[in-house]
Amino acid sequence: MNKRKKQGSCSKMRSAFPAGNLFILTGIVLSVSLAAASFTAFFLTRYYNRMQIRTLSTICQGILENQPDAEGAVLSALKEYQERPDTLTDENENIILAYGYRQADFLQPAQRYGTCFAAAGFLAGGLVFLLPYSLWRRKEKERIHALTDYLEQVRTEDGGTLFPAAEDEFSQLQDEIYKTVTELHQTRDAAWKAKNHYAENLDHIAHQIKTPITSLSLSAQMMHQNPSPKHFEQIRLQLSRLTHLADALLLLSRIDAGVLPLERTKTDVFTVLMLAADQLRELFLKAGVSVWIPEMEETVICADLEWTMEAVINLMKNCMEHTPPGGSVCCSCEQTPLYTQIRIQDNGTGFSEEDLPHIFERFYRGKNAKDGGIGIGLAMSKAIIESQNGTVTAENPADGGACFEIRFYR
């Protein structure tokens, strides 16, 4: 149904162009025809004058041949008419009519020729524009066929989206078609990418779920054969892992759907860093890694405190996991007119060069990834930060270690 509506609107758009041009062309043809008629009338006037002179000359010659003594009267009458042409009244015309003559008897050839000239003028005006009109119609049909063939090629995917440029009344329509086709191609490509990405995510999720389920199944079998608190602890850990995975996937799905409730308020960066470090205090002590957050001036960002702290926790934890005992994780902040920058840097081995392009991909785990991880923490941090008009990148600084750089733009 929608396709038929679109085709109907497209046909209306096409028919609107010829109708408007035909109206303009008709006006031009009529104008030129009138101009041709005016020129014809001008030349006919001159022709009628010449015919009148010839008629008078013939009449005067006949009078003088039959009555040579009337030469003075004829010349006197011609001179009087030349000086006072208004003396030719209806009475003079009645004298001619009284002898049984009519005006057509004297100017019949001139009237016939005038009619022919007038008809020829209109015919010439029509013929002059008939050829350009036919050429214009042919060109218009060729343009319509070219646009139709282009859409057919796009539909059958025989060609690309490029289209030869042309400057005419169809240029705007051609541009709109090109834009629509380009957007459709982009939408189709995005749909294919989303479909492939969805399939990959399902594969990763199935793999992530399969591991704890397999471990739970083995622990349950061992419990059946030999009940032991050790098996209970293993089951508890695997259930905790499944719960964490479910919560992380639910969070990512809410972020992707744009329904994550973010209460963006004025938040101090130092507060965010201190709260995140407090949440990881025991893990830092257990790993033998220290965290250093220097005193800094109040730096305010517009962000959700809880979720921003969650994103920072994942970044700090990643740095801690790749820092040897005795190392440290340093945090710093910098304010610029465009953004607020937060740096979280460790003094560990740094990121692998082949891992850097994929650090924030979901379910990606690098070579030095810690056992038991699911590869979703950094992706979740990236999604939270980007949903608050921010960016996060990973790099290996020149002085060693790994560094996460967060920017919240104003």
Side-chain angles (χ1 to χ4, degrees):
M1 187 68 179
N2 294 333
K3 185 176 181 181
R4 292 179 181 177
K5 290 182 178 179
K6 291 181 179 178
Q7 289 177 349
S9 61
C10 186
S11 62
K12 290 180 181 179
M13 184 184 298
R14 290 180 181 177
S15 62
F17 280 95
N21 290 331
L22 184 60
F23 177 77
I24 296 174
L25 186 62
T26 303
I28 295 175
V29 171
L30 290 176
S31 300
V32 174
S33 298
L34 291 175
S38 300
F39 281 109
T40 303
F42 172 74
F43 288 111
L44 283 177
T45 302
R46 297 187 61 183
Y47 179 77
Y48 288 153
N49 291 334
R50 293 179 62 186
M51 291 299 297
Q52 290 175 1
I53 294 296
R54 290 180 180 178
T55 302
L56 288 174
S57 298
T58 304
I59 295 174
C60 292
Q61 183 178 0
I63 293 173
L64 294 177
E65 288 178 354
N66 295 324
Q67 298 181 7
D69 298 336
E71 181 178 0
V74 171
L75 292 177
S76 177
L78 291 176
K79 184 176 181 181
E80 183 178 359
Y81 174 72
Q82 181 182 8
E83 294 178 353
R84 297 181 59 190
D86 54 346
T87 57
L88 184 61
T89 61
D90 294 337
E91 295 179 359
N92 304 109
E93 184 178 359
N94 291 334
I95 295 175
I96 299 176
L97 297 178
Y99 286 97
Y101 292 100
R102 295 176 299 175
Q103 184 179 5
D105 295 334
F106 297 96
L107 300 177
Q108 184 174 4
Q111 291 180 349
R112 184 169 59 251
Y113 293 149
T115 303
C116 294
F117 284 149
F122 279 100
L123 182 61
L127 291 176
V128 165
F129 279 89
L130 182 61
L131 181 59
Y133 174 73
S134 62
L135 294 177
W136 174 76
R137 286 292 297 171
R138 177 186 294 180
K139 182 180 179 182
E140 186 181 63
K141 290 181 180 180
E142 290 177 354
R143 288 286 284 143
I144 294 176
H145 290 159
L147 292 173
T148 304
D149 294 341
Y150 170 68
L151 291 176
E152 182 67 21
Q153 290 177 3
V154 171
R155 187 182 66 83
T156 58
E157 297 185 358
D158 291 337
T161 60
L162 295 179
F163 193 84
E167 294 295 335
D168 53 18
E169 63 269 18
F170 287 93
S171 298
Q172 184 176 0
L173 176 60
Q174 176 182 318
D175 293 340
E176 293 300 325
I177 291 176
Y178 177 76
K179 292 177 184 177
T180 303
V181 169
T182 303
E183 290 177 358
L184 290 176
H185 273 267
Q186 292 175 350
T187 302
R188 183 195 63 182
D189 295 340
W192 275 107
K193 290 180 181 179
K195 181 179 179 180
N196 295 332
H197 185 64
Y198 178 74
E200 292 177 359
N201 284 340
L202 283 180
D203 183 65
H204 288 304
I205 292 171
H207 179 74
Q208 294 291 339
I209 294 177
K210 181 179 179 181
T211 301
I213 289 178
T214 302
S215 180
L216 284 171
S217 178
L218 292 175
S219 297
Q221 292 178 8
M222 296 296 294
M223 280 287 296
H224 181 72
Q225 297 175 1
N226 184 19
S228 171
K230 179 180 179 181
H231 299 311
F232 276 112
E233 180 64 19
Q234 184 67 21
I235 291 175
R236 187 189 67 81
L237 290 176
Q238 296 303 325
L239 287 175
S240 176
R241 183 179 181 185
L242 281 174
T243 302
H244 175 68
L245 176 61
D247 292 340
L249 292 175
L250 178 62
L251 175 61
L252 285 175
S253 64
R254 293 171 67 186
I255 294 175
D256 292 340
V259 296
L260 182 66
L262 294 173
E263 298 181 2
R264 299 181 63 183
T265 58
K266 292 183 178 180
T267 305
D268 183 46
V269 174
F270 182 76
T271 303
V272 174
L273 295 176
M274 289 300 298
L275 291 175
D278 288 340
Q279 293 290 326
L280 297 172
R281 183 182 300 275
E282 293 185 3
L283 291 178
F284 271 99
L285 291 175
K286 185 177 180 180
V289 179
S290 62
V291 58
W292 184 65
I293 303 175
E295 292 289 339
M296 59 184 70
E297 296 180 357
E298 183 180 10
T299 305
V300 177
I301 58 175
C302 186
D304 185 288
L305 176 60
E306 296 296 330
W307 288 114
T308 304
M309 183 182 66
E310 183 70 22
V312 173
I313 286 174
N314 290 328
L315 300 179
M316 283 186 176
K317 184 179 178 183
N318 185 274
C319 289
M320 179 200 67
E321 292 173 349
H322 295 85
T323 302
S328 63
V329 176
C330 300
C331 302
S332 62
C333 179
E334 179 184 357
Q335 185 86 31
T336 70
L338 296 178
Y339 54 81
T340 300
Q341 179 176 280
I342 303 172
R343 289 174 62 89
I344 303 174
Q345 182 175 349
D346 62 47
N347 54 6
T349 57
F351 299 111
S352 173
E353 291 297 331
E354 61 184 28
D355 291 339
L356 269 177
H358 311 285
I359 288 294
F360 296 102
E361 292 182 4
R362 299 178 185 181
F363 304 107
Y364 180 80
R365 303 182 73 247
K367 291 182 177 180
N368 301 324
K370 184 179 179 181
D371 294 337
I374 59 177
I376 206 171
L378 296 182
M380 187 168 59
S381 296
K382 184 175 185 291
I384 293 173
I385 293 171
E386 288 183 347
S387 64
Q388 301 182 96
N389 194 31
T391 61
V392 58
T393 56
E395 63 178 1
N396 292 322
D399 54 351
C403 177
F404 291 103
E405 188 176 276
I406 307 171
R407 290 183 178 180
F408 286 100
Y409 290 88
R410 297 190 176 186

